[in-house]
Amino acid sequence: MPRAGLNAAKVVEQAAELADEAGWDGLSLAGLASRCGVRLPSLYKHIASLDALRLEVSALGLRELTAALTSSVVGKSGSAALHAMADAYRTYALAHPGRYQATVSAPTGEHPGQDQAAVELFQLVKAALSAYGLSGDDAIDAVRALRATLHGFVHLETNHAFGLPTDVDRSYRRLVEGIDTAIAGWASNEQPSN
Amino acid sequence: MPRAGLNAAKVVEQAAELADEAGWDGLSLAGLASRCGVRLPSLYKHIASLDALRLEVSALGLRELTAALTSSVVGKSGSAALHAMADAYRTYALAHPGRYQATVSAPTGEHPGQDQAAVELFQLVKAALSAYGLSGDDAIDAVRALRATLHGFVHLETNHAFGLPTDVDRSYRRLVEGIDTAIAGWASNEQPSN
DNA sequence: ACCCATAGCTAATCAGAGTAGCTTTTGGGC
DNA sequence: GCCCAAAAGCTACTCTGATTAGCTATGGGT
């Protein structure tokens, strides 16, 4: 009986692909085992439990999302950075719906990698928005607003919640332009530099 | 052995309360049965399956959400209506997190009540935004933008995704003001009435 | 060639969803 | 008040998926 040659990293990667194909709720150890070519209990040589696996997939998604946003903003700032991040965000979420949902709805457990990845993502977005001249709670409001906007749209889109056939790309572009204008407006309230 | 006196409506209501307490993913027939004071198989006298029950809870949530938004906008239009709806939306979602999540992530099955409730909610929001003077695809973009914004914020909030202790109410208020400004700006592009 | 860490296995337990079929309550007609 | 059919509830069973226990065989390092 030849071995499958699994390890923890491969198992998590396969789980992420399964989640992308079958949905975050469709991620099961039974499905993962057959995809990996082993029997279900063999997975426990590489993971602690289904919940632990979900945390790993969540951390993987956060790391990948952070990497995608990071490379999207190099050399950009302000409005250009915001638009670039918005595009990269939606592109990643549509390409990897399972791991994207994992980044939001994973169990809020104690996983150092997951927490650290979330903090890094927050810092990245905050830095990218620094050109808007916000500080303190205003900067936090801006990060939250941008995150809520992008997440809301993408989450609804991946849940097929937009019933009408109207161009979804255009709706997204206008929404991003709107949030860009809104955050820029906050900045002028903060820094009356005229 | 006295009867519990259940019927389909009571079962769905109990399921909605259970979903609010245990989370949408924590909604199980086992938990529902013990909450209703009956054995698990007895539930099948009132529902067809767990998936069917989830559709019912989703439809209930959509109806309640539509009712809450409807009563929030009576006598208002434009910006006042938008702010009123935003407050009612978040209030409902925070008070009923389980059924709120059901409105988005229920199985996309064929449930006439669910579909109809979704259409009614869309029409309500579109009508409430009519004072912005948008038409055609612009109106659809506005409804999508508002929905994405409110949903994104509330979904992240109910998933405890805002790590920082910074005032969440204030972040929400500023986000709603931002989307109000953005949609108003679209309108001026459409109707150069000056 | 040997050894041991470990990848993988079978077998078993447990919980939850769903089905089959029986029993009992209950409300309406007489 | 009595009778009966519909419905409400039950027990027993099956099936699937997660998890644990314990056995076996592989294969890299010596």
Side-chain angles (χ1 to χ4, degrees):
Chain A
M1 56 194 80
R3 295 210 175 172
L6 290 178
N7 56 44
K10 286 181 186 172
V11 168
V12 172
E13 175 61 29
Q14 290 296 312
E17 290 182 16
L18 177 56
D20 287 338
E21 292 169 14
W24 178 239
D25 294 334
L27 173 58
S28 69
L29 294 185
L32 180 57
S34 81
R35 163 183 278 263
C36 291
V38 299
R39 299 309 184 98
L40 195 154
S42 306
L43 295 174
Y44 285 88
K45 295 294 179 179
H46 309 288
I47 61 170
S49 69
L50 177 57
D51 276 351
L53 175 67
R54 301 194 110 125
L55 280 177
E56 294 295 336
V57 174
S58 171
L60 173 66
L62 279 169
R63 268 184 275 117
E64 289 179 349
L65 182 58
T66 303
L69 295 192
T70 300
S71 59
S72 78
V73 296
V74 290
K76 299 192 179 75
S77 72
S79 182
L82 187 149
H83 277 78
M85 281 195 301
D87 285 347
Y89 193 96
R90 180 161 172 249
T91 298
Y92 181 81
L94 295 184
H96 301 291
R99 33 197 127 181
Y100 174 71
Q101 189 166 356
T103 64
V104 175
S105 49
T108 43
E110 305 302 323
H111 184 283
Q114 188 194 33
D115 291 350
Q116 189 196 340
V119 169
E120 280 177 25
L121 183 52
F122 174 83
Q123 296 295 346
L124 170 74
V125 175
K126 195 173 162 199
L129 296 185
S130 64
Y132 286 89
L134 301 167
S135 61
D137 286 356
D138 291 316
I140 292 176
D141 285 346
V143 173
R144 284 179 175 170
L146 178 59
R147 185 173 171 208
T149 300
L150 304 188
H151 167 64
F153 193 97
V154 157
H155 191 239
L156 292 173
E157 186 178 8
T158 55
N159 276 84
H160 315 105
F162 293 140
L164 275 5
T166 305
D167 187 357
V168 176
D169 289 354
R170 192 184 94 130
S171 295
Y172 189 68
R173 193 174 347 107
R174 298 196 73 176
L175 175 59
V176 173
E177 288 166 2
I179 198 71
D180 178 22
T181 306
I183 294 178
W186 300 351
S188 64
N189 292 338
E190 296 302 315
Q191 300 194 339
S193 56
N194 58 324
Chain B
M1 55 195 80
R3 292 210 176 174
L6 290 179
N7 57 43
K10 285 181 186 173
V11 169
V12 172
E13 175 60 30
Q14 290 296 311
E17 290 182 16
L18 176 57
D20 286 338
E21 293 168 15
W24 177 240
D25 295 334
L27 174 57
S28 69
L29 294 185
L32 181 57
S34 80
R35 162 184 279 265
C36 291
V38 299
R39 300 310 184 95
L40 194 152
S42 306
L43 294 174
Y44 285 89
K45 295 293 179 180
H46 310 287
I47 61 170
S49 69
L50 177 56
D51 277 351
L53 174 66
R54 302 195 113 133
L55 280 177
E56 295 294 337
V57 174
S58 171
L60 173 66
L62 280 169
R63 269 184 275 118
E64 290 178 348
L65 182 58
T66 303
L69 295 192
T70 300
S71 59
S72 78
V73 296
V74 290
K76 299 193 179 76
S77 73
S79 182
L82 186 148
H83 278 78
M85 281 196 298
D87 285 347
Y89 192 97
R90 179 160 173 251
T91 297
Y92 180 81
L94 295 184
H96 302 290
R99 32 196 128 180
Y100 173 70
Q101 189 165 357
T103 65
V104 175
S105 49
T108 42
E110 305 301 324
H111 184 283
Q114 188 193 34
D115 290 350
Q116 189 196 340
V119 169
E120 280 178 24
L121 182 53
F122 174 83
Q123 297 294 347
L124 170 74
V125 175
K126 196 174 163 199
L129 296 185
S130 64
Y132 287 89
L134 300 168
S135 61
D137 286 357
D138 292 316
I140 292 176
D141 285 346
V143 174
R144 285 178 175 172
L146 178 59
R147 184 173 172 209
T149 300
L150 304 188
H151 166 65
F153 193 97
V154 158
H155 191 237
L156 292 173
E157 186 178 8
T158 55
N159 276 83
H160 314 102
F162 292 140
L164 275 5
T166 305
D167 187 358
V168 176
D169 290 354
R170 191 185 94 129
S171 296
Y172 189 68
R173 193 173 346 106
R174 298 196 73 177
L175 175 59
V176 173
E177 288 166 2
I179 197 71
D180 178 22
T181 306
I183 294 178
W186 298 352
S188 63
N189 292 338
E190 296 302 314
Q191 302 195 334
S193 57
N194 58 323

